[in-house]
Amino acid sequence: VDWEPITDADKPNVVVFLQKLRAAKPVIILTVPIGWSSVFDGTGAWFATLAPLTDQLNIMSYEMADAWPGWVSWHESALYGQGGDHPSSVSTVVARYVSYGIPAAKLGVGLGFYGSCWRGPTAPLQAVGSGVVASDNTMSYANIRASYAPKGTYTWDATAKQGYLSF
């Protein structure tokens, strides 16, 4: 059930919709995507309401960095390594959702199969410059392999468990 975004006004309707789907077809596999930023903006705890109604809540853990106030450059989906000026990581988001009462076994993690292109920084943890200037369709895996990988220097960030290219 890809209901995005779920506004406060939508929340009762989402619950009723999931209840009715489950009642109409008890064996249906119900999944709902949930945002990574919800654990930072104070809205994430509500998703625990959906855990008993779904088979899986899938965290959309991509685009987890940009030129946001107080942030330095960071990875799109770092697995670990968050800090005060780059607070996002998949492990942080998963742990926060679990702390809200969502069973870990019901959480899925979605990683984008594309990259992001920053203007200014040449590595993580640098001043952001103008931030992310291209991502998703422009920075597809095929485009990165063909146009960027041969010209860049690949580096593995052992803390974040994430690779990146720099020029």
Side-chain angles (χ1 to χ4, degrees):
V1 177
D2 193 3
W3 192 319
E4 295 178 59
I6 299 174
T7 65
D8 286 341
D10 292 333
K11 289 176 180 178
N13 295 325
V14 171
V15 170
V16 168
F17 183 62
L18 291 172
Q19 289 169 333
K20 286 185 176 186
L21 280 173
R22 179 67 72 203
K25 190 143 181 137
V27 296
I28 194 171
I29 296 173
L30 289 175
T31 67
V32 173
I34 58 178
W36 69 270
S37 61
S38 297
V39 303
F40 295 101
D41 69 11
T43 63
W46 178 81
F47 288 105
T49 305
L50 302 183
L53 305 172
T54 60
D55 296 288
Q56 192 165 21
L57 296 169
N58 293 310
I59 302 167
M60 298 178 289
S61 55
Y62 35 86
E63 298 183 11
M64 296 176 74
D66 207 332
W68 296 315
W71 283 53
V72 293
S73 60
W74 191 228
H75 302 285
E76 285 277 322
S77 299
L79 296 179
Y80 303 98
Q82 68 283 347
D85 55 4
H86 56 288
S88 65
S89 74
V90 173
S91 62
T92 297
V93 172
V94 168
R96 190 84 50 94
Y97 276 124
V98 168
S99 78
Y100 296 149
I102 299 173
K106 284 202 172 195
L107 289 171
V109 176
L111 301 173
F113 200 60
Y114 60 90
S116 61
C117 183
W118 290 76
R119 180 162 296 130
T122 57
L125 306 177
Q126 296 181 348
V128 294
S130 46
V132 175
V133 294
S135 65
D136 204 356
N137 295 324
T138 304
M139 299 303 293
S140 68
Y141 179 74
N143 189 27
I144 292 168
R145 294 292 302 157
S147 301
Y148 293 89
K151 300 171 190 166
T153 300
Y154 178 81
T155 303
W156 177 253
D157 184 331
T159 302
K161 304 293 186 224
Q162 182 82 48
Y164 64 94
L165 293 171
S166 63
F167 300 86

